[in-house]
Amino acid sequence: MTKKQFKAESKRLLEMMINSIYSQREVFLRELISNASDAIDKIYYKALTDDSLTFDKDSYYIKITANKEKRTLTITDTGIGMTKDELENNLGVIAKSGSLAFKKENESKDGHDIIGQFGVGFYAAFMVADVVTVISKALGSDEAYKWESEGAEGYSIEPFEKDTVGTEIILKIKESAEEESYDEFLEEYSLKTIIKKYSDFIRYPIKMDVSGQRPKEGTEGELEEYTEEQVINSMVPIWRKNKSELTDEDYESFYHEKHYGFDKPIKHIHINVDGTVRYNAILYIPGQTPFDYYSKEFEKGLELYSNGVLIMNKCAELLPDYFSFVKGMVDSEDLSLNISREILQQDRQLKFIAKNISKKIKNELKSLMKNDREKYEEFYKSFGRQLKFGVYNDFGSNKEVLQDLILFYSSKEKKLVSLDDYVSRMPEDQKYIYYATGESVERIEKLPQTEMVSEKGYEILYFTEDIDEFAIKMLMTYSEKEFKSVSSGDLGIESEEDQKQTENEQTENKDLFDLMKEVLAGKVSDVKLSKRLKSHPVCLSTVGEVTIEMEKVLSAMPDNQNVKAEKVLEINSNHEVFQSLKNAFDQDKDKVKLYTNLLYNQALLIEGLPIQDPVEFTNDMCKVMV
């Protein structure tokens, strides 16, 4: 028997394919099962044009047999088989695919499509086998042949005896070493797991002899071992069934079977697209936040199938970051795969699918918000932070996609409202969308800065998460209405008459405020009278883009760059404290300094900011009391 050399590439290329192309060794079984499925498909296509052939789907199957003693794993199919020339051309020439040529000649009909696109999948067998033997008998041929190879050194072909049409691939599994174990590829449980993971939706039955235990007849409590042939794969994927055939329970069962989560999903989305790029998808909005969701360890992505064969566990390109919480899968017949069937060669189709999926998710979330607000708020409690981060991230490039999905607590409604809800009930004279920031709703409700806006009857949105104000600063406007913090210098509420009155009072007390500003040099940029305050004596407002709440968030970050808000101390001219300040200014300048420091520290405490010198503050309190 003469050993022949591989025609296409060198020993180095084959070694590279065996050792480098595939990220996981177990995919060799996926590749061989896909090839077996292709071989059966070819009989189906032949039967369409050959009246002498009838295709009875029940007669076709793939069988997996492991022999631990001989360390062999056999993959048998009842497909079309290969002639000597086909063995030579398809297996002797690396990277040539008989399936690819066949696929070009035969367009998909009746839901059948050839899986294989490249001819190197077969060589994945050498990752786990020392010797690969192929015994095949072609349809319509009286002769069978055996192809055998030990790897890059070459292969041999010789006549062989085989009664039935089809192909057997026999792998002599490598011996396990200290660092690498190959025994799992002979274990029943491991083989079943690999088949279910990658090839569960191959359209033909994948059979295995499965062992088990059962009560022994004629005995009590005694068990006996038995072996029976079982079909391991599901064959018909749920995503190819008509939506009308499926119930909510079916979708929920699939969610748990695929280990997408232990929770009950809030919503499922079933997509069937038959256009330029054909694909099916089942997506889920989870009910609970995964424990690692807001950590670096979390991996986003959907399962990606190519014609029912799992290609990637998590394809990150299918989901934008702001929808990274979505679970599920996509199956397409139109993906351009590379030789390992793991990485996409071109991303045009993938980008098209990802764009459509993103639109669909947004529309479904909007529909959920409109038709089942309670469920949407349940979802938002888990993933609202991610949507708001999506508004802020990438310099606000996705803000228009997400602005209608975000919710904030309302001072009037006492519940979460959307920006559209807020704007739809704004009075005609209201110029801005007002918001207040704080650690909780309870703390915000007590903020002095909210008094004037609330007295006007205007609604205030409460921002209680650190991302909120950053997102709104990036959003800037909604429905042509600007956002305005209740702590900003100009609220846009005062009439011209009130402004003139405030300016006159400011001028009258200029010397007092100059002294207070001198006392607080480096701490505030200005001290002025306030009309926003009604019952409180003092508050801090800000000038510029950085607010006090943003300062707190930025200072808590690991790379704290000491960014500070430009603060203004505002004094309520209608409060008794202001009269005490004026009296002290006329009689005792040292008391003005004492009162100024006390009022500034009170304003810091109201904002949740730390007092620079707590000892000095307590001493000042004691001086006032004595």
Side-chain angles (χ1 to χ4, degrees):
M1 180 178 23
T2 306
K3 181 171 282 190
K4 301 184 179 184
Q5 296 300 312
F6 288 111
K7 295 178 184 176
E9 306 289 350
S10 65
K11 175 181 177 181
R12 185 168 174 271
L13 175 58
L14 182 52
E15 287 175 345
M16 182 192 74
M17 286 194 291
I18 293 169
N19 298 312
S20 305
I21 287 177
Y22 295 95
S23 56
Q24 293 176 304
R25 290 180 310 193
E26 64 187 25
V27 299
F28 82 91
L29 191 55
R30 175 192 74 183
E31 296 298 306
L32 297 181
I33 289 173
S34 296
N35 289 346
S37 176
D38 287 351
I40 299 173
D41 278 341
K42 289 174 182 177
I43 289 189
Y44 167 79
Y45 280 107
K46 202 167 185 67
L48 292 177
T49 56
D50 189 339
D51 293 337
S52 65
L53 281 176
T54 55
F55 185 83
D56 179 8
K57 191 174 178 180
D58 295 336
S59 303
Y60 297 94
Y61 62 87
I62 300 160
K63 179 76 180 277
I64 311 296
T65 309
N67 187 320
K68 289 184 181 180
E69 288 73 28
K70 294 182 178 179
R71 291 191 71 80
T72 60
L73 179 67
T74 304
I75 297 92
T76 305
D77 69 65
T78 56
I80 199 165
M82 287 180 278
T83 64
K84 182 180 179 182
D85 287 344
E86 286 169 336
L87 283 169
E88 183 92 42
N89 292 328
N90 294 342
L91 303 188
V93 182
I94 301 170
K96 177 172 179 179
S97 171
S99 292
L100 181 59
F102 196 93
K103 185 177 184 179
K104 288 177 179 176
E105 293 169 12
N106 298 271
E107 292 300 318
S108 175
K109 299 185 184 81
D110 301 334
H112 284 69
D113 196 13
I114 301 293
I115 297 169
Q117 291 191 38
F118 291 86
V120 301
F122 168 78
Y123 298 95
F126 286 104
M127 290 192 294
V128 300
D130 287 324
V131 182
V132 177
T133 304
V134 180
I135 299 167
S136 192
K137 184 178 182 179
L139 181 68
S141 173
D142 296 327
E143 297 175 329
Y145 290 90
K146 181 173 85 170
W147 180 99
E148 191 166 86
S149 175
E150 295 179 9
E153 296 303 324
Y155 62 93
S156 62
I157 297 179
E158 62 178 328
F160 206 77
E161 291 297 319
K162 190 177 189 306
D163 296 331
T164 57
V165 171
T167 300
E168 282 181 32
I169 299 175
I170 305 160
L171 310 182
K172 184 76 169 67
I173 301 298
K174 293 179 180 181
E175 294 290 341
S176 295
E178 283 185 16
E179 295 182 359
E180 292 183 301
S181 174
Y182 295 92
D183 293 346
E184 63 178 307
F185 304 120
L186 296 168
E187 295 290 341
E188 180 184 300
Y189 177 79
S190 296
L191 291 170
K192 284 169 64 178
T193 301
I194 295 168
I195 292 167
K196 290 293 286 182
K197 180 178 179 180
Y198 293 104
S199 307
D200 197 34
F201 305 113
I202 291 289
R203 65 178 65 88
Y204 305 108
I206 302 171
K207 299 179 180 182
M208 267 184 68
D209 291 333
V210 177
S211 58
Q213 289 184 326
R214 62 189 172 198
K216 190 173 182 179
E217 287 186 24
T219 65
E220 284 191 26
E222 193 176 338
L223 299 173
E224 65 175 356
E225 300 282 338
Y226 75 95
T227 301
E228 69 175 9
E229 188 177 74
Q230 291 182 4
V231 175
I232 307 301
N233 59 323
S234 304
M235 287 188 283
V236 182
I238 183 175
W239 58 83
R240 287 185 183 161
K241 294 180 180 179
N242 289 327
K243 297 175 191 178
S244 57
E245 297 175 28
L246 300 167
T247 64
D248 288 343
E249 288 73 23
D250 292 327
Y251 288 109
E252 195 175 323
S253 296
F254 184 69
Y255 181 83
H256 292 131
E257 283 170 13
K258 299 299 291 179
H259 304 293
Y260 293 144
F262 298 103
D263 57 325
K264 181 177 181 179
I266 287 176
K267 189 172 184 62
H268 65 262
I269 306 165
H270 192 161
I271 307 170
N272 300 110
V273 175
D274 191 8
T276 310
V277 177
R278 296 167 294 172
Y279 68 93
N280 299 302
I282 295 180
L283 312 176
Y284 294 93
I285 310 295
Q288 294 177 4
T289 315
F291 73 94
D292 61 345
Y293 185 66
Y294 291 109
S295 72
K296 290 181 179 178
E297 284 70 38
F298 180 80
E299 286 184 73
K300 71 166 183 172
L302 302 174
E303 285 187 320
L304 181 61
Y305 290 80
S306 176
N307 206 18
V309 179
L310 181 66
I311 303 305
M312 294 176 73
N313 275 317
K314 288 191 176 178
C315 182
E317 290 84 357
L318 285 169
L319 288 175
D321 285 344
Y322 50 82
F323 288 151
S324 60
F325 49 80
V326 174
K327 305 283 188 182
M329 52 66 56
V330 173
D331 182 20
S332 176
E333 299 173 2
D334 299 324
L335 298 175
S336 297
L337 308 181
N338 76 352
I339 54 177
S340 67
R341 223 192 309 241
E342 290 179 332
I343 307 161
L344 300 169
Q345 276 193 315
Q346 304 169 23
D347 60 0
R348 183 179 59 83
Q349 301 101 323
L350 201 68
K351 282 181 178 177
F352 176 85
I353 295 171
K355 185 179 178 182
N356 282 6
I357 282 176
S358 184
K359 281 183 184 176
K360 188 69 174 177
I361 294 168
K362 181 192 172 178
N363 291 338
E364 290 293 332
L365 287 174
K366 283 185 73 174
S367 173
L368 187 66
M369 183 196 288
K370 181 181 177 182
N371 301 319
D372 195 340
R373 190 59 168 255
E374 188 177 338
K375 264 193 177 181
Y376 186 81
E377 288 184 16
E378 182 187 339
F379 149 77
Y380 195 79
K381 185 179 178 182
S382 296
F383 302 108
R385 176 188 287 266
Q386 187 67 13
L387 297 181
K388 288 181 282 191
F389 181 73
V391 172
Y392 169 76
N393 201 26
D394 293 330
F395 305 100
S397 60
N398 301 302
K399 61 186 181 182
E400 291 184 9
V401 176
L402 300 170
Q403 61 183 1
D404 290 318
L405 299 177
I406 56 179
L407 303 176
F408 299 102
Y409 187 87
S410 161
S411 63
K412 277 193 173 182
E413 298 296 312
K414 305 298 181 186
K415 63 179 183 181
L416 292 172
V417 300
S418 69
L419 296 176
D420 186 58
D421 294 335
Y422 182 103
V423 170
S424 66
R425 51 177 174 258
M426 282 175 64
E428 286 186 20
D429 64 336
Q430 184 179 340
K431 298 177 185 176
Y432 303 106
I433 300 171
Y434 291 102
Y435 68 87
T437 59
E439 293 175 10
S440 66
V441 169
E442 292 73 26
R443 288 196 68 163
I444 294 174
E445 285 179 334
K446 295 175 183 176
L447 283 177
Q449 295 94 324
T450 62
E451 289 183 317
M452 186 178 188
V453 179
S454 296
E455 190 179 72
K456 263 292 203 180
Y458 296 158
E459 188 173 2
I460 303 172
L461 297 176
Y462 291 178
F463 292 178
T464 56
E465 290 193 306
D466 49 13
I467 187 63
D468 290 352
E469 197 167 15
F470 289 89
I472 290 305
K473 290 281 185 184
M474 195 61 73
L475 195 55
M476 294 189 288
T477 63
Y478 182 83
S479 288
E480 299 181 351
K481 299 285 185 181
E482 286 183 41
F483 291 91
K484 179 77 76 173
S485 169
V486 296
S487 298
S488 64
D490 177 20
L491 291 175
I493 292 177
E494 283 186 288
S495 64
E496 286 186 25
E497 188 178 330
D498 288 339
Q499 286 177 347
K500 281 183 182 178
Q501 185 183 342
T502 303
E503 286 170 11
N504 291 335
E505 288 184 44
Q506 185 81 20
T507 304
E508 287 171 15
N509 296 282
K510 181 179 183 302
D511 292 340
L512 168 61
F513 292 133
D514 284 347
L515 177 58
M516 294 178 74
K517 187 175 175 181
E518 185 182 317
V519 172
L520 298 175
K523 297 176 182 177
V524 299
S525 62
D526 201 3
V527 178
K528 67 178 187 179
L529 282 179
S530 175
K531 288 299 179 184
R532 82 179 72 224
L533 296 171
K534 301 300 173 184
S535 62
H536 292 80
V538 67
C539 75
L540 287 172
S541 63
T542 56
V543 179
E545 287 301 310
V546 180
T547 65
I548 290 171
E549 203 61 32
M550 292 171 78
E551 176 189 312
K552 287 193 279 187
V553 173
L554 292 170
S555 64
M557 289 185 173
D559 59 340
N560 178 16
Q561 296 179 11
N562 203 32
V563 177
K564 299 291 182 184
E566 187 181 339
K567 302 177 188 71
V568 174
L569 186 70
E570 295 195 10
I571 309 294
N572 184 354
S573 60
N574 297 318
H575 199 280
E576 294 148 339
V577 163
F578 183 58
Q579 190 59 48
S580 297
L581 275 169
K582 290 202 292 186
N583 293 339
F585 183 73
D586 293 335
Q587 300 165 16
D588 186 351
K589 297 291 194 295
D590 287 337
K591 264 196 175 179
V592 173
K593 294 177 182 178
L594 174 66
Y595 290 167
T596 299
N597 281 321
L598 276 172
L599 288 170
Y600 173 69
N601 284 324
Q602 283 179 23
L604 288 177
L605 288 172
I606 289 169
E607 292 295 337
L609 291 169
I611 293 172
Q612 289 178 344
D613 192 340
V615 174
E616 183 184 5
F617 176 65
T618 53
N619 288 339
D620 287 346
M621 292 284 288
C622 291
K623 288 175 187 176
V624 172
M625 294 172 71
V626 174

